[in-house]
Amino acid sequence: MPAPYHSIEDRLNRYLTGLTNARDVPELQSRVALYGYTPDKLNQMLAQRQQAFDLYLAQKTEYSEQHAATAAFEQAWKTAHDTYMRLIRLGRILFRDNHAIFIKLTLNEERKRTFSGWLAQANTFFSNLLSDQNALAKYSQYNTPPDAVNAAKALVVAAEQANIIQAKETGEAQQATKDRDEKTDALDSAMSEFYALAELACEDAPDLLKMLDL
């Protein structure tokens, strides 16, 4: 019985060895050809194996890009959040006796933990602050001019864009996994039949079976 091959990479490498030797070793080829595995048929299976291998590599690339996008998003969110929270904390001090502005700037609210909730609160805060000249003037008295507020808002926008990119990369990685698995499953099925018939064809020639990695 063949040794177990758990990873996709191991299986694909094993398939390449078995199919190539079945095609190129004359004594082995003459035996498996009796069960329909002619050079043309084996070339077709090798092409199928190459397609599976290409999809395997593409999936690895997509997941690498997804991980990079996730890291970029998390950093962008943290940077935006830290800057935004400084404005929130400062505002809670500056407007503690001004109930109307305190509410308008959502200073009374607990910050949302989900990104979508956090983003909605942040956008509300910046929109209301930047439209209130009195509130902006108050912030300016404490080393936070409008330019600083706009810069903080830009960080929120950058976090939102990073989140969009992360979602795109996640979707592409999931699709790449689906494509890889569909192609690999079909190849696994074809190779299972190939190995079973090759064992039958070479049951009296163990040395030939070793060429198939059996």
Side-chain angles (χ1 to χ4, degrees):
M1 293 297 292
Y5 289 80
H6 298 294
S7 75
I8 292 176
E9 183 175 3
D10 284 345
R11 298 203 309 277
L12 291 174
N13 286 337
R14 179 189 182 217
Y15 297 164
L16 178 61
T17 297
L19 293 170
T20 301
N21 285 336
R23 182 194 63 188
D24 295 345
V25 176
E27 186 176 355
L28 184 54
Q29 164 53 209
S30 66
R31 287 172 177 256
V32 299
L34 296 175
Y35 293 91
Y37 293 103
T38 63
D40 284 346
K41 172 66 173 178
L42 292 166
N43 279 332
Q44 291 172 14
M45 295 180 72
L46 280 165
Q48 185 180 2
R49 179 266 171 199
Q50 185 62 49
Q51 290 171 357
F53 185 68
D54 290 344
L55 290 172
Y56 161 76
L57 293 179
Q59 190 266 355
K60 288 175 67 70
T61 298
E62 291 295 346
Y63 264 90
S64 176
E65 292 175 355
Q66 181 207 341
H67 292 155
T70 297
F73 162 65
E74 290 175 350
Q75 183 57 56
W77 187 8
K78 182 181 185 304
T79 301
H81 179 72
D82 290 348
T83 304
Y84 161 60
M85 285 307 299
R86 177 192 171 277
L87 297 180
I88 292 293
R89 289 191 294 270
L90 179 57
R92 284 172 175 166
I93 296 170
L94 300 182
F95 304 110
R96 62 186 181 277
D97 296 325
N98 189 328
H99 182 73
I101 293 183
F102 203 87
I103 299 299
K104 181 180 180 180
L105 299 183
T106 69
L107 301 175
N108 59 310
E109 297 179 8
E110 182 179 352
R111 297 304 101 178
K112 302 292 186 180
R113 294 184 178 275
T114 65
F115 180 72
S116 59
W118 175 90
L119 182 63
Q121 280 185 319
N123 282 333
T124 298
F125 170 79
F126 283 107
S127 176
N128 290 343
L129 175 56
L130 289 168
S131 66
D132 191 319
Q133 295 302 313
N134 291 329
L136 280 175
K138 189 73 170 179
Y139 268 103
S140 295
Q141 294 174 21
Y142 294 86
N143 197 36
T144 311
D147 285 350
V149 176
N150 279 307
K153 180 184 178 183
L155 293 175
V156 172
V157 173
E160 183 177 18
Q161 290 302 310
N163 181 59
I164 292 170
I165 293 172
Q166 181 201 32
K168 171 180 172 292
E169 294 296 345
T170 298
E172 290 178 352
Q174 291 174 348
Q175 184 61 50
T177 299
K178 181 175 181 291
D179 293 343
R180 180 205 64 185
D181 289 349
E182 287 179 353
K183 182 64 70 173
T184 302
D185 287 347
L187 179 61
D188 286 340
S189 179
M191 290 303 298
S192 178
E193 181 174 295
F194 166 75
Y195 283 125
L197 291 172
E199 281 190 286
L200 185 61
C202 302
E203 59 185 350
D204 62 338
D207 289 345
L208 293 178
L209 289 177
K210 289 180 180 178
M211 295 181 185
L212 300 175
D213 204 3
L214 282 171

